[in-house]
Amino acid sequence: MADHLTAALHRLPTPRCAYLYDTTALRTRTAQLRAALPANTTLLYAVKANGHPDVVHTLAQTCDGLEVASGGELALALQAGARRIAFGGPAKTDTELAAAVHAGALLNVESPHELRRLAALGLHGDICLRINRATTPLTGSHTMTGTPTPFGIDEHQLPDVLATLPTGLRVIGFHLHGVSNNLDGPAHATFLTDAITWSQQTASAHHIDLRVVNAGGGLGIDYHTDRSIDLTPLSTVTVPDGLELILEPGRYLTADAGWYAAEVLDLKTTHGRTFAVLRGGTHHFRLPAAWGYSHPFTVIPIDDWPHPYPRPEIHNTHIDAVGELCTPRDVLARGQHVTHLRAGDILLFARAGAYGWDISHHDFLRHDPPTFITL
Ligand SMILES: *Cc1c(COP(=O)(O)O)cnc(C)c1O
């Protein structure tokens, strides 16, 4: 455990509950990813993974720009001084379309109706089309292409869409984000090469001057171990000169730069199962409940016990780490072994920097929010 992290945990007000984000870890992670990417690749950060202003500000500096999918994220990106912005999402409002164009963002247009709305708003310029390809060569947690989804234009409809493209709009590329949390490095490299080949063939068939291939995000991490997708195969991808390959990962850049910490308020055994009841839970960190897995934790011992009554403690026990919500679904981990755990100790959940706080239902039961600390 890094000393600065432990020190920050000890300084927290009690009962302790916090998200900790480490900007040095964000910088290191970005540098590792950049080193693995082929030439002519542009790295954007997908803000939806973690919209904390310090995280967004750091990644706006270390990446080439940001990928956003709402007016709120666009505002964050502008505040963070992003050099490049890509704007996507299947449900853009007129206000968002106008704001994105005025901010100089590259739009990923997701339907023929959206094209007509852009034209009617008098918005002109270069755009990318998001395509739901006929097939996907990838597996991962959320498949968005090669299958019915609200994302992008069905590949089969592309000829019609291009034939009726409103004047003033020029297609310069395709957006092909297809999957989340892919752990297979060689498969991701194949996906990138295939995205480039498909885009080149489609562009030449429709007389498009192809400049951009956006292959989205989806670089995965394995929550059960400390493993991430192997990036080495990505360097074998060739991006032809004159073409820009855009990658816009979220999870890969932020997951390991965030921790969720929650103090054990109570320990109890009912019907043979032992529960550590936390000051915190899935209203702060919903990912394990949303995906139905146990998120590993480490115990941070807190030796202080200023109370006159005995301190609950357990030895060599499998526990469920549960939250403060009045629902049996408020579970962060099931059946994890602890050698020693006391009320007042902290459970520390690593890899909580992506899709943690940002996807959680904060107001359910109206408990206090966690403390947010940027290291
Ligand atoms: C969510 C999303 C990303 C980021 O996905 P990760 O799995 O976090 O890398 C990138 N692009 C688009 C269009 C997205 O919707």
Side-chain angles (χ1 to χ4, degrees), residues 301-323:
I302 299 288
D303 290 334
D304 251 20
W305 184 258
H307 310 293
Y309 40 85
R311 186 172 189 178
E313 65 177 320
I314 54 173
H315 291 272
N316 275 322
T317 309
H318 288 87
I319 63 156
D320 289 359
V322 302

Side-chain angles (χ1 to χ4, degrees), residues 328-354:
R329 295 187 179 221
D330 189 15
V331 181
L332 297 175
R334 282 186 209 278
Q336 186 173 324
H337 181 263
V338 293
T339 49
H340 185 206
L341 183 65
R342 303 162 297 184
D345 288 340
I346 295 171
L347 298 193
L348 185 66
F349 298 83
R351 311 202 110 175

Side-chain angles (χ1 to χ4, degrees), residues 103-189:
L106 179 58
L107 276 180
N108 294 310
V109 177
E110 305 232 4
S111 78
H113 180 59
E114 192 182 322
L115 286 169
R116 290 190 286 271
R117 287 171 50 218
L118 267 173
L121 288 165
L123 300 169
H124 303 297
D126 296 347
I127 54 160
C128 287
L129 294 181
R130 182 167 182 184
I131 306 299
N132 181 341
R133 296 233 355 233
T135 57
T136 176
L138 272 182
T139 57
S141 66
H142 296 32
T143 305
M144 276 156 277
T145 167
T147 186
T149 70
F151 307 110
I153 298 165
D154 188 314
E155 179 176 343
H156 300 107
Q157 295 160 15
L158 185 58
D160 279 352
V161 169
L162 290 171
T164 56
L165 194 71
T167 47
L169 294 173
R170 186 167 68 135
V171 176
I172 61 161
F174 299 107
H175 183 277
L176 302 167
H177 174 68
V179 80
S180 192
N181 211 34
N182 176 36
L183 284 162
D184 186 337
H188 212 87

Side-chain angles (χ1 to χ4, degrees), residues 206-228:
H206 297 283
H207 312 291
I208 288 169
D209 180 12
L210 184 71
R211 309 275 177 79
V212 174
V213 176
N214 187 328
L219 302 174
I221 69 154
D222 179 0
Y223 288 103
H224 302 291
T225 67
D226 55 10
R227 211 168 62 83
S228 299

